[in-house]
Amino acid sequence: MKLRRKIVVWFLLITLAAGILNAVIDGVFDMFMQTVAADEASVLISAAVLIVISAVIFVMSGVVFYLIVKKAVQEESERQVREKDLIYAAVAHDLKTPMTSVQGFAKALADGKITPDEQREAAEIIYRKSNSMNEMVNTLFEYAKLGTEEYKPVMSQVNICSLVRDVTAESYCDFEEHGIEPEIDIPDDEIIVQGDKNELKRAVTNLVVNVYKHNPDGINAGISVSRANGKAVIRIADSGTEIPADMDIFEPFVTENASRTPGQGTGLGLAVTKRIIERSGGRIYTVSCSDEYTKAFVIELQEM
């Protein structure tokens, strides 16, 4: 989408520049013809020269536009290749540890090296690790799917208050387990937005889960929905780890966990969230808070 917008902008700018230059030349030609007495042959020759100059201008404009588009496409292709290489390396890194654990425990069970009393614990570890791998693969699939032009979201009218309330309720036990009691401020009336309900729920869920998954236990948290300037505003704040000022947290595989410790997140969740929100015509950003919270994720969606 960014490449398409860039091409359209360059097309409009080059077309405008060519049109202005051609108009200036036409004006100079008219002034010249008014100030000199020219016979019919001279007028025809001058008109032919003017046509040639105009043609040269538009041909040169086309060449310039082609070169600019070629460079932009090449840069975008190189960026996508780099991103894919990063994805392959990061997924391999994040899958390696849980896969090794699953293989190790499965082999130990098959060889009878685990006592009957320890078998249940080993099976639970295998289950947890396989779930972790499945979650990584699903997140990667979601990110790749949202990046294709062929994917079309199922748009409908969504009551964002009800959606955020449901997501919060589904995470209640997890909040309680981590000693977090979020402050909820969601109005009872409806705030309707246009979007894919399932995708929007995934986006909000990613942010809510991040509160207890990537912060210390017992922190303060706040989840709110409000209206502002014709937009629905979702705000998910916490008093946990601050986001470094120079970090673009919404880029793929960017995490606050510099060592990328397995099990602490791939860094794809927020990238998926951003793609979902942007496909719904909204925007997402972070703000630093000066009150009881250290940061907040803010989603803005056009209200219907």
Side-chain angles (χ1 to χ4, degrees):
M1 295 297 289
K2 290 182 180 179
L3 178 61
R4 182 182 298 174
R5 286 196 295 269
K6 188 183 295 184
I7 291 174
V8 170
V9 169
W10 275 112
F11 174 78
L12 293 176
L13 289 175
I14 292 174
T15 302
L16 178 62
I20 292 174
L21 184 58
N22 195 56
V24 170
I25 293 175
D26 282 345
V28 171
F29 176 76
D30 290 339
M31 291 177 59
F32 174 77
M33 295 303 297
Q34 292 173 5
T35 56
V36 297
D39 55 24
E40 183 177 351
S42 299
V43 171
L44 291 175
I45 292 173
S46 299
V49 170
L50 180 63
I51 292 173
V52 171
I53 293 175
S54 299
V56 169
I57 290 173
F58 283 106
V59 168
M60 290 183 63
S61 300
V63 171
V64 171
F65 178 69
Y66 167 77
L67 293 175
I68 291 175
V69 170
K70 181 180 178 181
K71 182 179 179 181
V73 171
Q74 183 177 356
E75 290 177 349
E76 177 64 17
S77 298
E78 291 173 353
R79 186 196 66 79
Q80 290 182 3
V81 170
R82 288 195 300 271
E83 182 177 297
K84 287 181 180 179
D85 289 342
L86 178 61
I87 287 176
Y88 297 149
V91 169
H93 175 277
D94 291 330
L95 288 176
K96 184 176 180 180
T97 298
M99 189 176 293
T100 300
S101 297
V102 169
Q103 288 177 331
F105 279 105
K107 180 63 175 175
L109 284 170
D111 293 344
K113 295 180 179 179
I114 298 179
T115 65
D117 294 337
E118 296 174 333
Q119 286 180 4
R120 180 179 179 82
E121 182 180 357
E124 289 178 351
I125 292 174
I126 292 174
Y127 177 73
R128 288 199 305 271
K129 296 295 184 181
S130 60
N131 268 349
S132 175
M133 290 188 290
N134 187 58
E135 182 181 348
M136 292 180 199
V137 172
N138 286 339
T139 303
L140 178 61
F141 171 74
E142 187 76 13
Y143 180 75
K145 178 185 71 175
L146 289 167
T148 63
E149 293 295 330
E150 290 76 16
Y151 171 71
K152 302 298 181 185
V154 181
M155 306 299 283
S156 63
Q157 294 185 6
V158 180
N159 179 5
I160 205 67
C161 293
S162 176
L163 186 147
V164 176
R165 193 180 294 113
D166 290 344
V167 171
T168 305
E170 291 170 5
S171 298
Y172 176 80
C173 293
D174 296 297
F175 278 126
E176 193 174 51
E177 181 181 342
H178 290 273
I180 301 173
E181 188 172 344
E183 182 179 344
I184 311 299
D185 183 13
I186 302 175
D188 293 330
D189 56 337
E190 295 185 347
I191 300 180
I192 305 298
V193 300
Q194 186 81 5
D196 186 312
K197 185 175 182 178
N198 292 330
E199 297 295 355
L200 286 176
K201 184 174 182 179
R202 181 180 180 86
V204 175
T205 299
N206 285 345
L207 297 181
V208 171
V209 168
N210 280 351
V211 172
Y212 57 81
K213 190 174 182 179
H214 299 296
N215 288 301
D217 291 349
I219 63 168
N220 296 321
I223 301 173
S224 65
V225 179
S226 60
R227 288 187 173 95
N229 301 320
K231 295 180 180 179
V233 180
I234 306 167
R235 188 173 184 268
I236 300 174
D238 64 66
S239 61
T241 309
E242 294 186 15
I243 299 174
D246 59 345
M247 179 180 290
D248 186 354
I249 199 70
F250 296 106
E251 281 297 304
F253 298 102
V254 172
T255 73
E256 299 166 51
N257 174 27
S259 63
R260 290 187 51 78
T261 305
Q264 295 301 312
T266 62
L268 263 182
L270 289 177
V272 168
T273 298
K274 182 181 180 181
R275 283 191 170 181
I276 291 172
I277 298 304
E278 289 181 346
R279 275 185 171 268
S280 301
R283 71 180 186 123
I284 180 171
Y285 55 93
T286 60
V287 295
S288 299
C289 306
S290 57
D291 48 13
E292 59 182 313
Y293 305 119
T294 55
K295 64 179 180 293
F297 289 87
V298 182
I299 294 175
E300 293 181 356
L301 295 165
Q302 189 66 44
E303 184 181 1
M304 295 189 64

